[in-house]
Amino acid sequence: MEYNNFEIDFFEKQNDEYSYSLNFEKYREKGFKALDFILNKNGLGNKFLGWITHPEVYDREEYSRMKNLSEKVKKAEVLVVVGVGGSFLGSKAVIKALKPYFKQNGLDIVFAGNNLSGDYLSELVDYIKDKDFYINVISKSGSTFETAIAFRVLKELCEEKYGKESVNRIIVTTDSKKGILKEMSEKVGYETFCVPDDIGGRFSVLTAVGLFPIMCAEIDTDAILLGANDGLEEYTKKSLNNVALKYAIIRNVMFEDEKKEIEYLVAHEFKLSYFQEWWKQLFAESEGKNGKGLYVESAIFTRDLHSFGQMIQDGNKITFETIIEVENLKNDIIIPFVEDDFDKLNYLSKKSLNDINKVAVTATRKAHTDGKVPTVKIKIPRLDAYNIGKLIYFFEMSCAISAYMLGVNPFDQPGVDNYKKNMYQLLEKM
């Protein structure tokens, strides 16, 4: 099967002309240096660069175990994935992107442990208690607060329902050697998969963290890893033809030279809405340090053009947009001809709705650039397992390059722990 490369262009208005060029020379060496940090593993946080080669060197034995177990899980009614942040966003992003909108046949995959809502967890318990279910709890340490609470509740439910058989209903994805979940798994006998030591949570979707739930959703993980591996070949090259490097440079030009503060990731397909959430965590936790980094937001067009599209168009000029355009979608619908033309839309009859959506992309780009909002468009050939794997790798590499260009460590998150310290202190006083 022949796969097309991704395309990227920059779009701004200069002297009433729409330009598809940007001066990359100023930032080229800075971008090359950032890529060198990654490839030579001598930058900040270099102990967490295992994601770079993972699509090529992943553990085949573990991958085979994951596939075998997923065949058993698929025969159940529900899989509950328990995790927060990178432990659930990646798998949910891929599943939502590649599964049908409305078809509910087969295994239902639901998520827990990513919030502290008693209402949510209570309804989840009510939903699964009379169903045939498995649990996949994902936490490197095993002590992640939201995840640990949800797992405690769900583990008790599982044991009450299945008794001794519950040991075969709980799958643990955690550290390979230590931690609460690892110790419990060895004592009880749970099936375990590994969160690699050298891959941080938000870069872990292509490991067992993301791949096992994705397998259970009957999505082709071989194709995902192939796409990511092709991304490894393409996006590690020191060339401005490297679109991952080019995107990282554009982001830094926008932040440092153009004084843009907000980047919107825009999609014209609802299936990418959770992919946007994964992207926001990736860039926000990687770059939001030392008073630096673009604030990342997302929008689904044309829906959001009828809400905060007004702010983007005519508000404070601190934003730019990155658009994901899918060139060929799996399904489409043709606008019908109606004799009485009651809505005056017969001029659209026989036209494809996806083609109309592409016109909306172009029209919106022109409108926003008229409003001094530059746009970047990333075009992918189709929305399938191969291209989603490649897109994940594209953004991971771009993110690491972009963060190094900013001068921050892409792989830590010192600010995340502050709320936890306060919460633990307050809980002790309850």
Side-chain angles (χ1 to χ4, degrees), residues 387-399:
N387 282 288
I388 208 79
K390 194 171 182 182
L391 191 62
I392 286 167
Y393 196 90
F394 166 85
F395 278 124
E396 287 180 343
M397 182 57 70
S398 296
C399 180

Side-chain angles (χ1 to χ4, degrees), residues 230-285:
D230 284 356
L232 165 60
E233 272 194 40
E234 291 181 33
Y235 306 142
T236 52
K237 293 177 180 175
K238 285 179 65 175
S239 164
L240 288 181
N241 291 323
N242 176 345
V243 292
L245 175 61
K246 187 178 284 190
Y247 174 55
I249 290 174
I250 290 172
R251 298 183 81 254
N252 277 263
V253 171
M254 291 292 102
F255 180 69
E256 296 190 9
D257 285 2
E258 302 298 323
K259 306 305 176 187
K260 300 297 183 184
E261 298 177 16
I262 299 171
E263 177 184 14
Y264 276 96
L265 184 68
V266 173
H268 286 250
E269 290 301 324
F270 280 90
K271 283 186 176 179
L272 289 169
S273 59
Y274 254 93
F275 191 89
Q276 292 172 316
E277 297 302 310
W278 171 81
W279 174 88
K280 284 191 284 190
Q281 188 215 6
L282 179 69
F283 279 90
E285 277 198 343

Side-chain angles (χ1 to χ4, degrees), residues 95-321:
I95 292 167
K96 291 293 185 183
L98 299 183
K99 297 298 284 185
Y101 280 115
F102 304 111
K103 215 171 183 179
Q104 298 299 323
N105 295 340
L107 182 72
D108 187 13
I109 299 179
V110 298
F111 296 84
N114 53 67
N115 61 68
L116 293 174
S117 169
D119 192 46
Y120 181 92
L121 191 55
S122 175
E123 286 194 20
L124 176 58
V125 167
D126 284 343
Y127 174 65
I128 68 171
K129 65 183 180 182
D130 296 322
K131 289 182 166 55
D132 187 25
F133 68 85
Y134 282 81
I135 297 169
N136 179 204
V137 58
I138 306 168
S139 173
K140 187 170 181 61
S141 66
S143 59
T144 307
F145 192 74
E146 297 89 341
T147 302
I149 287 177
F151 181 54
R152 172 182 279 241
V153 172
L154 294 165
K155 176 176 176 289
E156 183 179 51
L157 175 67
C158 188
E159 289 170 349
E160 287 175 358
K161 182 178 177 70
Y162 293 106
K164 292 181 180 179
E165 172 65 16
S166 64
V167 69
N168 299 316
R169 294 281 170 161
I170 294 173
I171 302 123
V172 177
T173 308
T174 191
D175 191 275
S176 62
K177 297 175 183 175
K178 61 184 185 299
I180 294 170
L181 286 176
K182 182 62 179 176
E183 291 171 9
M184 180 190 295
S185 298
E186 289 181 345
K187 181 179 179 181
V188 177
Y190 297 140
E191 180 82 59
T192 61
F193 301 123
C194 177
V195 180
D197 290 335
D198 56 356
I199 302 178
R202 58 188 174 273
F203 287 81
S204 67
V205 60
L206 299 174
T207 72
V209 171
L211 290 182
F212 181 70
I214 292 167
M215 281 177 182
C216 293
E218 299 189 88
I219 293 169
D220 186 352
T221 52
D222 291 354
I224 289 174
L225 287 168
L226 176 60
N229 197 43
D230 284 356
L232 165 60
E233 272 194 40
E234 291 181 33
Y235 306 142
T236 52
K237 293 177 180 175
K238 285 179 65 175
S239 164
L240 288 181
N241 291 323
N242 176 345
V243 292
L245 175 61
K246 187 178 284 190
Y247 174 55
I249 290 174
I250 290 172
R251 298 183 81 254
N252 277 263
V253 171
M254 291 292 102
F255 180 69
E256 296 190 9
D257 285 2
E258 302 298 323
K259 306 305 176 187
K260 300 297 183 184
E261 298 177 16
I262 299 171
E263 177 184 14
Y264 276 96
L265 184 68
V266 173
H268 286 250
E269 290 301 324
F270 280 90
K271 283 186 176 179
L272 289 169
S273 59
Y274 254 93
F275 191 89
Q276 292 172 316
E277 297 302 310
W278 171 81
W279 174 88
K280 284 191 284 190
Q281 188 215 6
L282 179 69
F283 279 90
E285 277 198 343
S286 298
E287 291 194 323
K289 296 152 199 174
N290 306 331
K292 296 181 179 181
L294 286 154
Y295 184 89
V296 287
E297 254 299 350
S298 61
I300 295 288
F301 289 169
T302 60
R303 179 195 67 187
D304 294 332
L305 293 175
H306 296 267
S307 54
F308 53 84
Q310 173 65 36
M311 174 59 75
I312 296 172
Q313 179 79 37
D314 289 337
N316 197 347
K317 302 305 176 188
I318 57 173
T319 67
F320 78 100
E321 295 171 331

Side-chain angles (χ1 to χ4, degrees), residues 335-336 338 340-347:
I335 309 301
V338 179
D340 61 0
D341 197 19
F342 68 96
D343 50 11
K344 308 302 179 191
L345 291 178
N346 269 352
Y347 72 98

